[in-house]
Amino acid sequence: MTPYQVIKKFKKEFDQEPFVFRSPGRINLIGEHTDYNEGFVLPAAIDKEIIFAIHPSDNNSCKLIAIDLNDTIKTDISDIKYSKKLWPNYLLGVIDQLQKNGAAIGGFNLVFGGNIPIGAGLSSSAAIEGGLTYALDQLFDLNLTKIDLVKIAHKAENEFVGLRCGIMDQYINIFGEKNKVLKIDCRSLEYEYVPINLDNYKIVLLDTQVKHKLQSSEYNIRREQCEEGIKILSRVNPKIKSLRDVGLDFINSHKDRLPELLFKRCSYVVNENQRLLEGCKDLRTNNISAFGEKMFQSHYGLRDEYEVSCKELDILVSVAEDHPGVIGARMMGGGFGGCTINLVKNEDYLDFIDLATKTYKDKTRTDIKAYFCSIKNGTSTLNLEDNETSNRFMY
Ligand code: GLA
């Protein structure tokens, strides 16, 4: 859905002019499964967005319309209950968390919809949570700080929706900045923008169209395995509270203390943090090919040590490995399906997508989807007067 369609629906339904916000999906360049290990991540907000058309109602009632799903629910902010349907919970969780934080909000009417592919690992759920938190802060003059918005959106997912995800997705949704990647320290919650010069490259996402049921159960198992590893390593050094406290030399010299599986899991996380820190230096010196090589290494770690990849993702990364125009590729997000992220030379991207499409179809009998994306600001008020925005939605 385009902003025009979302706004039109709102006006038709509620007969008034809405406030309009945009809330982006995200990519992650490197640093996977490190956020809940108090490590580093390097995401960016993108030009796939959810649009919110919203206005306070006259009382405590809310009518929430998911235009893409053609579905509506009504609720009252004094009686927020978990919904049997999944989508309302991302919104209800935000209302619940704001109220638990003492925010004085009233009822509101909302139409939302957009173009973030669902289930592709681009964090459409964090976009809903971050977008609504931001919109309600503006609508009801809550004066929350950006980091407050992140924490509320994150808690909505953890405590209301019930998924124990890390903080990366909600963080980048609020803090994203055009043409920059965000290095987040998931321990201190400090951040730093890292410039990325992609003039000669395209960011191509290849969507396997696979969403394995394993995803959330295996995600929790990985978290537990890391916690188990820390317990053992902290017996060697009680100062170790998370894998963030563990260096490469330390983990390698205490390999024998960990069961083989836990060593693989922990060693992946320690190496991934290291790759990310070095990768940021590559970006600062504009050495994109050195950065791209680290993306491949990250994929091998996710595939062989952390074991969260799947056959379909591996097929797409091996096409990328063999194509001279691709300088870096890896699976992205939680794993077991979703997208690969590829940095591809401008002159080669069509050829690469062609080859990937054919190879994938041959090997899996399935069509992939390819998306391009560029790096945009985090959640903000939508300004349709702005040329760039209106051009993007001109269809
Ligand atoms: C999902 C979670 C994030 C992060 C990634 C893996 O996207 O929501 O918090 O853990 O998986 O890096």
Side-chain angles (χ1 to χ4, degrees), residues 225-275:
Q225 288 168 336
C226 292
E227 283 158 14
E228 198 56 35
I230 296 157
K231 242 192 237 162
I232 298 172
L233 292 172
S234 67
R235 277 184 224 131
V236 184
N237 178 353
K239 286 199 181 128
I240 292 174
K241 303 280 180 243
S242 79
L243 287 174
R244 173 66 177 276
D245 300 315
V246 179
L248 282 177
D249 289 347
F250 185 89
I251 188 132
N252 289 328
S253 56
H254 294 93
K255 186 173 177 180
D256 295 348
R257 300 220 175 209
L258 292 166
E260 197 186 332
L261 185 76
L262 294 191
F263 175 76
K264 284 208 290 186
R265 303 294 192 250
C266 296
S267 151
Y268 160 76
V269 174
V270 174
N271 276 288
E272 182 76 347
N273 277 325
Q274 190 63 29
R275 272 191 287 270

Side-chain angles (χ1 to χ4, degrees), residues 38-325:
E38 299 193 341
F40 298 99
V41 288
L42 200 65
I46 57 171
D47 56 350
K48 310 268 174 282
E49 296 150 322
I50 293 178
I51 306 298
F52 289 75
I54 187 167
H55 199 283
S57 64
D58 296 333
N59 43 42
N60 277 347
S61 71
C62 295
K63 188 169 181 184
L64 311 173
I65 302 179
I67 187 168
D68 294 313
L69 305 175
N70 197 14
D71 202 6
T72 301
I73 67 149
K74 287 183 183 165
T75 185
D76 188 294
I77 60 155
S78 58
D79 185 29
I80 296 299
K81 288 197 201 82
Y82 192 80
S83 165
K84 281 189 203 117
K85 297 179 189 170
L86 182 61
W87 71 263
N89 292 319
Y90 298 111
L91 301 166
L92 299 173
V94 168
I95 303 174
D96 179 59
Q97 273 308 319
L98 281 171
Q99 297 195 121
K100 284 188 174 143
N101 271 270
I105 56 169
F108 60 92
N109 294 316
L110 168 71
V111 177
F112 75 100
N115 62 1
I116 306 179
I118 310 278
L122 303 183
S123 261
S124 49
S125 45
I128 299 178
E129 294 150 352
L132 184 66
T133 313
Y134 185 96
L136 294 180
D137 177 59
Q138 299 277 313
L139 238 55
F140 295 105
D141 290 327
L142 302 179
N143 288 321
L144 295 167
T145 63
K146 280 174 117 183
I147 198 72
D148 286 338
L149 300 178
V150 171
K151 287 181 181 167
I152 284 163
H154 183 230
K155 272 191 156 185
E157 175 95 32
N158 276 196
E159 293 180 13
F160 198 86
V161 179
L163 214 89
R164 275 188 82 205
C165 66
I167 202 162
M168 167 170 71
D169 302 347
Q170 290 80 11
Y171 203 117
I172 188 61
N173 177 266
I174 297 293
F175 278 87
E177 229 176 66
K178 190 174 172 184
N179 294 339
K180 290 177 187 155
V181 288
L182 186 67
K183 177 183 156 203
I184 308 171
D185 177 336
C186 298
R187 166 171 271 180
S188 66
L189 295 186
E190 281 164 0
Y191 65 93
E192 198 184 329
Y193 292 104
V194 181
I196 181 167
N197 179 357
L198 291 176
D199 288 348
N200 300 323
Y201 303 94
K202 286 227 165 355
I203 304 171
V204 178
L205 305 176
L206 296 179
D207 187 347
T208 58
Q209 311 274 343
V210 173
K211 198 167 187 329
H212 282 299
K213 287 207 184 90
L214 281 175
Q215 197 172 33
S216 57
S217 57
E218 288 293 321
Y219 189 89
N220 287 337
I221 292 173
R222 293 301 174 282
R223 286 191 74 138
E224 284 156 19
Q225 288 168 336
C226 292
E227 283 158 14
E228 198 56 35
I230 296 157
K231 242 192 237 162
I232 298 172
L233 292 172
S234 67
R235 277 184 224 131
V236 184
N237 178 353
K239 286 199 181 128
I240 292 174
K241 303 280 180 243
S242 79
L243 287 174
R244 173 66 177 276
D245 300 315
V246 179
L248 282 177
D249 289 347
F250 185 89
I251 188 132
N252 289 328
S253 56
H254 294 93
K255 186 173 177 180
D256 295 348
R257 300 220 175 209
L258 292 166
E260 197 186 332
L261 185 76
L262 294 191
F263 175 76
K264 284 208 290 186
R265 303 294 192 250
C266 296
S267 151
Y268 160 76
V269 174
V270 174
N271 276 288
E272 182 76 347
N273 277 325
Q274 190 63 29
R275 272 191 287 270
L276 185 148
L277 294 174
E278 283 164 17
C280 288
K281 287 186 202 149
D282 297 337
L283 291 181
R284 286 203 175 90
T285 53
N286 205 12
N287 191 347
I288 302 279
S289 44
F291 184 83
E293 182 47 40
K294 295 186 178 67
M295 291 173 74
F296 281 116
Q297 296 303 329
S298 164
H299 183 77
Y300 306 145
L302 289 158
R303 181 189 66 192
D304 303 331
E305 295 185 281
Y306 216 61
E307 296 179 277
V308 290
S309 186
C310 62
K311 182 184 90 202
E312 292 84 353
L313 288 164
D314 294 342
I315 291 172
L316 291 177
V317 173
S318 44
V319 180
E321 273 167 0
D322 294 342
H323 196 293

Side-chain angles (χ1 to χ4, degrees), residues 26 28 31-36 123 165-169 219 333-334:
R26 65 104 186 88
N28 186 24
E32 218 64 86
H33 287 275
T34 42
D35 58 354
Y36 55 83
S123 261
C165 66
I167 202 162
M168 167 170 71
D169 302 347
Y219 189 89

